[in-house]
Amino acid sequence: MPAAKPTSPTAPVVRYHVSTANLARSNVRSFLKGLLGLTICVVGLSQFLPAEQLIFNGAWDDKIHLKPEPELLKAVIEKHRPEVGPYVEFYRHVHQNPEISSKEAKTAELVASHLGKLGYKVSSGIGGHGVVGVMKNGPGKVVLMRAELDALPILEQTNVSYRSEHRMIDRYGNERPVMHACGHDMNMAALLMASSLLKNAFHWWKGTLLVVFQPDEEETGGAQAMVDDGLYDIVPVPDLMLGQHVVADSKAGTIAIRSGPVLVAADSLQVRVFGGPCGGSNPQRCVDPIPLSMQIVLGLQDAITQELGQHEDATVACWGFHAGEPGNDYVAYADILLDIKTVKPNIRLRVLDIVKQRFLDECRSAGAPHDPEFNHTVRAPLTTNSDSIAGPLAEVFAGFFGQSFVDMPFTSACEDFPILGAAHNIPYAYWNFGGTHPDAEEPVPSNHSPLFAPEVNLTLRTGSDAMALAALTFLA
């Protein structure tokens, strides 16, 4: 463990683990005398030096092996936690001024400015509008902490005073309403507050912090874009990664984590079904790709269930359907966008094959002039928490949050967070923190709802504490 010189509101318990295996029986008495002398020396020095400076003296590393304890970590968090007010203000500003995926320029500029004021070395414009702040504090582990920048094309219908009425042109050229309906504004505010806490507690930890604000998560392309744009040419490759998300299905103040799979894998499949050109002088005699495509799409889920059985977790949803142009007297093709979610890698490949084969068979049977065209992209891999990261965090979270620590359910949401570390096989943990007001009545508007409105103060404090606590677990 690297040496550190922390400051503490209370003197932590000192545990000495001194090996005596190589001491002869005749030396036991002199050893005990020496230990007594050392104790007296420590007591004497404690009149002049903070207890933690004695405890974390690097000269003792070969004899003393210290491990952060919940009580000690709690003391650090509570002493160095910044005032929540500025981060509530940040949250409300960003909520009122959201930016859609790949268009997060002002949001990125705001977080970069905040990180710079905290003393982090900031790099911007990575993979679009990605931002990373670096704080080096001697030798030790490199820990990446991540939040998302982008909002959703949703018209807000809450009654909060800071609700969004913002509209933007998206990457496809369409004007859309924009809302932080998923909670990325809360994730950002919590990460910034945790970054401030860790800066305040600078003398309590050793290593390097990488604070990443990722663009374009909602369309799940931003993580790969940051990696492809040379993220790890700018900052060191992390030893571990930490991510979290506010959720509406848990009360504010709660924390949920587990080892193993926590979020599904998601694939996008774009399919073009052709109806023409066709022979003859009457284009209405072409294959009409609209009813053909609708028929295929409607039967996909049944085909998957029949092939794989009821017990396999695999879903196919149609997210987009476009066909025809005004003025044309026949429809040349129909474009379908499918979202495919699975849990098991082998099942994922089988589902993709089933869907493609279904389109091929139906189009050929209908006499379509061409086989359908497919464009497959990976939206997000399966999010699977490493036990080496999630296991220790579960113990620390349980000790810190007490009864507010709960088990994390497996959900059908997806994330591209693992892509940040995929090329280097970096272990990670991803957890949820609750956002629903403790007194709220059921049912509560979920994430991605136009009515999504998390409780602010307690939620923000919990998310900040959890992220800072997670970092300190591996850096303290």
Side-chain angles (χ1 to χ4, degrees):
M1 179 172 296
K5 295 180 179 180
T7 58
S8 170
T10 58
V13 176
V14 184
R15 286 187 170 83
Y16 296 94
H17 302 287
V18 183
S19 176
T20 60
N22 296 325
L23 293 176
R25 289 181 179 274
S26 60
N27 291 333
V28 170
R29 182 174 300 175
S30 60
F31 168 74
L32 292 175
K33 288 182 178 179
L35 182 59
L36 177 60
L38 175 62
T39 302
I40 295 172
C41 180
V42 169
V43 172
L45 284 174
S46 67
Q47 303 300 314
F48 306 100
L49 294 175
E52 54 270 19
Q53 290 190 19
L54 299 176
I55 295 163
F56 288 93
N57 188 327
W60 295 357
D61 281 355
D62 60 334
K63 295 181 179 179
I64 301 177
H65 310 283
L66 298 174
K67 180 181 179 181
E69 298 181 359
E71 297 83 0
L72 180 57
L73 290 175
K74 185 174 183 178
V76 176
I77 294 291
E78 291 182 348
K79 178 175 181 179
H80 297 290
R81 182 191 294 122
E83 291 293 327
V84 73
Y87 298 95
V88 170
E89 183 179 345
F90 171 91
Y91 165 78
R92 290 176 174 172
H93 174 82
V94 172
H95 186 91
Q96 197 165 28
N97 299 275
E99 293 181 297
I100 206 165
S101 299
S102 83
K103 302 287 184 177
E104 314 95 336
K106 293 181 180 179
T107 306
E109 186 177 321
L110 188 62
V111 299
S113 174
H114 194 98
L115 285 173
K117 291 176 181 177
L118 288 174
Y120 287 78
K121 181 181 178 182
V122 181
S123 299
S124 301
I126 308 170
H129 297 295
V131 176
V132 59
V134 181
M135 181 166 287
K136 294 183 178 180
N137 189 16
K141 292 186 181 299
V142 179
V143 175
L144 184 150
M145 307 184 298
R146 174 267 204 175
E148 315 92 317
L149 293 166
D150 55 337
L152 285 158
I154 291 176
L155 179 64
E156 182 162 358
Q157 298 177 32
T158 72
N159 59 1
V160 298
S161 60
Y162 48 88
R163 66 182 174 274
S164 169
E165 297 178 357
H166 194 44
R167 301 183 70 87
M168 291 183 72
I169 305 297
D170 67 16
R171 62 173 54 158
Y172 311 107
N174 304 308
E175 184 182 275
R176 310 293 295 276
V178 190
M179 175 193 176
H180 270 295
C182 192
H184 293 178
D185 47 355
M186 183 63 71
N187 297 348
M188 281 186 273
L191 180 53
L192 284 175
M193 187 172 170
S195 300
S196 177
L197 192 159
L198 291 166
K199 169 62 186 305
N200 295 343
F202 191 75
H203 297 296
W204 270 104
W205 57 272
K206 290 291 182 182
T208 299
L209 289 175
L210 309 179
V211 186
V212 173
F213 290 85
Q214 178 201 315
D216 197 14
E217 189 279 331
E218 293 295 356
E219 296 191 39
T220 53
Q224 189 65 59
M226 290 190 75
V227 173
D228 292 344
D229 200 25
L231 173 64
Y232 297 125
D233 295 329
I234 300 170
V235 301
V237 175
D239 294 299
L240 63 132
M241 307 193 307
L242 305 172
Q244 65 178 0
H245 206 295
V246 63
V247 293
D249 57 3
S250 294
K251 300 291 187 182
T254 59
I255 288 288
I257 193 171
R258 60 180 285 183
S259 297
V262 291
L263 302 174
V264 298
D267 295 88
S268 288
L269 186 64
Q270 293 178 308
V271 187
R272 174 163 288 186
V273 174
F274 293 94
C278 52
S281 59
N282 190 345
Q284 281 79 9
R285 298 179 64 183
C286 297
V287 172
D288 189 341
I290 294 178
L292 174 58
S293 299
M294 293 174 64
Q295 176 183 331
I296 298 171
V297 169
L298 289 172
L300 285 177
Q301 190 64 56
D302 287 342
I304 290 169
T305 301
Q306 183 176 359
E307 181 78 16
L308 302 179
Q310 295 280 356
H311 61 284
E312 292 294 351
D313 191 350
T315 60
V316 179
C318 181
W319 275 17
F321 191 106
H322 176 79
E325 297 292 340
N328 287 357
D329 58 358
Y330 77 98
V331 179
Y333 57 83
D335 287 328
I336 303 101
L337 175 61
L338 301 175
D339 180 63
I340 301 172
K341 292 182 175 179
T342 53
V343 177
K344 301 175 183 177
N346 62 318
I347 294 298
R348 171 177 166 267
L349 296 176
R350 288 183 64 188
V351 170
L352 288 168
D353 287 342
I354 292 169
V355 171
K356 291 179 180 179
Q357 193 62 51
R358 181 82 174 186
F359 273 96
L360 284 169
D361 292 344
E362 294 292 332
C363 288
R364 290 172 180 174
S365 178
H370 302 288
D371 281 345
E373 293 179 353
F374 302 101
N375 181 20
H376 167 239
T377 56
V378 177
R379 287 187 60 218
L382 185 71
T383 300
T384 304
N385 282 342
S386 169
D387 187 57
S388 64
I389 310 299
L393 288 186
E395 294 183 15
V396 171
F397 285 171
F400 186 90
F401 293 102
Q403 293 183 347
S404 294
F405 172 72
V406 298
D407 188 49
M408 183 177 182
F410 182 84
T411 69
S412 60
C414 67
E415 261 282 356
D416 65 351
F417 169 64
I419 293 175
L420 288 172
H424 301 279
N425 198 29
I426 301 168
Y428 61 85
Y430 181 91
W431 63 89
N432 290 335
F433 60 108
T436 297
H437 195 284
D439 298 328
E441 296 181 1
E442 301 291 345
V444 175
S446 65
N447 297 63
H448 289 225
S449 164
L451 298 172
F452 178 68
E455 187 278 337
V456 179
N457 289 55
L458 179 57
T459 303
L460 177 53
R461 173 176 158 169
T462 302
S464 170
D465 284 359
M467 184 60 81
L469 191 64
L472 286 171
T473 299
F474 298 99
L475 294 174

